[in-house]
């Protein structure tokens, strides 16, 4: 016997996948718990397939339920886009765009930019991931990347959003207790071997070869947090330093260690209006000094 799924069935599955419990699913659907329980049992019987497994963690979806929930979510987004289009009286940018960047770029540069323009695109969905390489774009796991690099891959297209310089920084609390006569004798905070070629590491090793960092972190965001906590000094990109970031500059790193911030995408993504729209908005919202680049 073949059962034809209805919209109410997909809404039920999506609510239970999101809620992971009968009570939360009932709240999302605005019905009582017994109704959700009976509806799930009735749907599983009609399909002849199990949709959820009961465990201590709640109602866990089977692969079938997860697949149906993803399709229900896409239908939900399409309906929302249609409603927004009617309200605004015109075409609406919709769809899902996958964006990747480092944790420091995400928190300091990307999030303030998104807060400024994303409210104008209620039907656009973003999937954000943090990483330090280009593999996301190469594997097609992402559509847009924000990367600090002087040599973006030739098979990608993009725009240079500006130049990033580096500074030796520390918190006012640390500076009030440290003897600043010799930087080499202070407590250093630095990236670990996860970022062996980072400009801050290359400069420190060349300028202060005898320094052994007191603290090593696997991200520049963590390096900045430890510096703000007053644990020592750190070499940070200029967008992560300064009074607004709770840090004071002690010395500038030579311009030869500057890097560029690139906004990149794949050539095939230029046919997607959602990707092009987000790319253009980010290019306008994030600017660091002189900018140029390869037209996307």
């Amino acid at each position: 016997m073949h059962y034809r799924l209805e919209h109410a069935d997909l809404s039920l599955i999506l609510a239970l996948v999101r809620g992971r419990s009968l009570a939360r699913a009932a709240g999302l659907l605005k019905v009582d718990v017994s109704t959700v329980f009976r509806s799930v049992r009735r749907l599983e019987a009609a399909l002849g397939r199990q949709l959820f497994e009961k465990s201590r963690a709640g109602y866990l979806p089977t692969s079938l339920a997860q697949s149906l929930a993803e399709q229900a979510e896409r239908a939900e987004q399409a309906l929302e886009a249609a409603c927004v289009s009617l309200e605004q009286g015109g075409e609406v940018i919709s769809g899902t765009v996958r964006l990747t960047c480092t944790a420091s770029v995400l928190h300091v540069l990307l999030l303030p930019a998104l807060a400024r323009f994303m409210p104008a695109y209620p039907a656009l969905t973003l999937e954000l991931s943090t990483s330090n390489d280009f593999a996301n774009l190469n594997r097609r796991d992402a559509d847009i990347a924000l990367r600090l690099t002087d040599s973006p891959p030739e098979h990608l297209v993009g725009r240079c959003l500006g130049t990033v310089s580096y500074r030796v920084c520390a918190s006012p609390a640390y500076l009030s207790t440290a003897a600043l006569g010799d930087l080499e004798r202070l407590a250093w905070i630095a990236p670990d071997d996860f970022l062996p070629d980072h400009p801050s590491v290359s400069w420190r090793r060349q300028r202060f070869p005898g320094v052994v960092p007191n603290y090593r972190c696997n991200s520049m965001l963590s390096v900045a947090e430890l510096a703000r906590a007053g644990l020592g000094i750190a070499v940070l990109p200029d967008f992560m330093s300064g009074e607004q970031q709770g840090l004071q500059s002690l010395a500038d790193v030579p311009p030869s260690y500057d890097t560029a911030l690139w906004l990149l995408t794949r050539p095939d993504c230029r046919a997607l209006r959602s990707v092009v729209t987000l790319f253009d908005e980010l290019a306008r919202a994030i600017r660091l000094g002189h900018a140029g680049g390869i037209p996307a």
Side-chain angles (χ1 to χ4, degrees):
M1 178 179 178
H2 297 286
Y3 178 78
R4 185 178 180 83
L5 281 171
E6 298 181 353
H7 180 267
D9 299 327
L10 292 178
S11 297
L12 170 69
I13 294 170
L14 183 58
L16 196 48
V17 167
R18 286 173 171 171
R20 293 296 178 97
S21 75
L22 294 176
R24 285 193 288 270
L28 292 171
L29 295 170
K30 296 180 172 56
V31 297
D32 57 57
V33 172
S34 61
T35 298
V36 175
F37 178 75
R38 290 194 302 270
S39 298
V40 171
R41 294 291 296 273
R42 185 164 52 245
L43 181 57
E44 288 180 329
L47 294 173
R49 302 277 297 277
Q50 185 177 8
L51 294 172
F52 295 91
E53 296 176 359
K54 185 71 170 67
S55 72
R56 288 185 177 182
Y59 278 74
L60 302 180
T62 62
S63 58
L64 174 61
Q66 190 65 50
S67 175
L68 291 174
E70 290 171 1
Q71 295 181 57
E73 197 162 44
R74 286 194 289 270
E76 184 181 72
Q77 292 169 356
L79 180 59
E80 176 64 21
C83 292
V84 172
S85 180
L86 285 174
E87 291 173 1
Q88 296 183 355
E91 189 174 2
V92 171
I93 304 298
S94 63
T96 298
V97 180
R98 298 162 299 175
L99 193 154
T100 180
C101 62
T102 63
S104 56
V105 169
L106 172 68
H107 285 269
V108 183
L109 298 177
L110 180 59
L111 293 184
L114 294 178
R116 288 197 294 274
F117 67 77
M118 279 303 291
Y121 301 98
L124 188 62
T125 301
L126 294 189
E127 293 182 358
L128 301 173
S129 66
T130 55
S131 70
N132 292 288
D133 56 40
F134 292 102
N136 306 75
L137 285 174
N138 296 338
R139 293 194 306 264
R140 298 176 181 267
D141 292 336
D143 306 308
I144 295 176
L146 271 168
R147 287 286 179 261
L148 284 167
T149 180
D150 288 323
S151 54
E154 294 183 359
H155 65 280
L156 301 178
V157 294
R159 194 171 302 168
C160 179
L161 303 184
T163 301
V164 175
S165 59
Y166 295 84
R167 300 168 183 165
V168 182
C169 303
S171 71
Y174 182 78
L175 295 178
S176 67
T177 60
L180 301 180
D182 187 355
L183 293 181
E184 194 167 4
R185 294 181 178 276
L186 300 180
W188 282 75
I189 308 163
D192 62 15
D193 293 338
F194 186 64
L195 297 171
D197 301 318
H198 194 272
S200 66
V201 176
S202 300
W203 174 79
R204 189 198 75 241
R205 287 175 174 167
Q206 189 277 329
R207 180 67 177 81
F208 300 109
V211 165
V212 177
N214 298 71
Y215 305 92
R216 301 206 306 163
C217 311
N218 66 355
S219 76
M220 291 305 296
L221 187 63
S222 297
V223 170
E225 290 295 337
L226 266 67
R228 270 192 287 272
L231 295 176
I233 65 174
V235 181
L236 293 168
D238 51 16
F239 64 85
M240 299 182 73
S241 60
E243 293 183 1
Q244 288 186 334
Q245 299 295 327
L247 295 168
Q248 293 182 12
S249 177
L250 302 179
D252 291 334
V253 173
S256 57
Y257 290 90
D258 289 356
T259 53
L261 178 66
W262 280 88
L263 181 64
L264 299 162
T265 187
R266 303 190 312 274
D268 60 287
C269 286
R270 291 179 295 181
L272 302 174
R273 292 190 68 239
S274 55
V275 174
V276 172
T277 298
L278 181 61
F279 188 100
D280 290 342
E281 288 285 10
L282 288 172
R284 285 189 289 267
I286 302 175
R287 289 288 175 178
L288 302 173
H290 176 70
I294 306 168

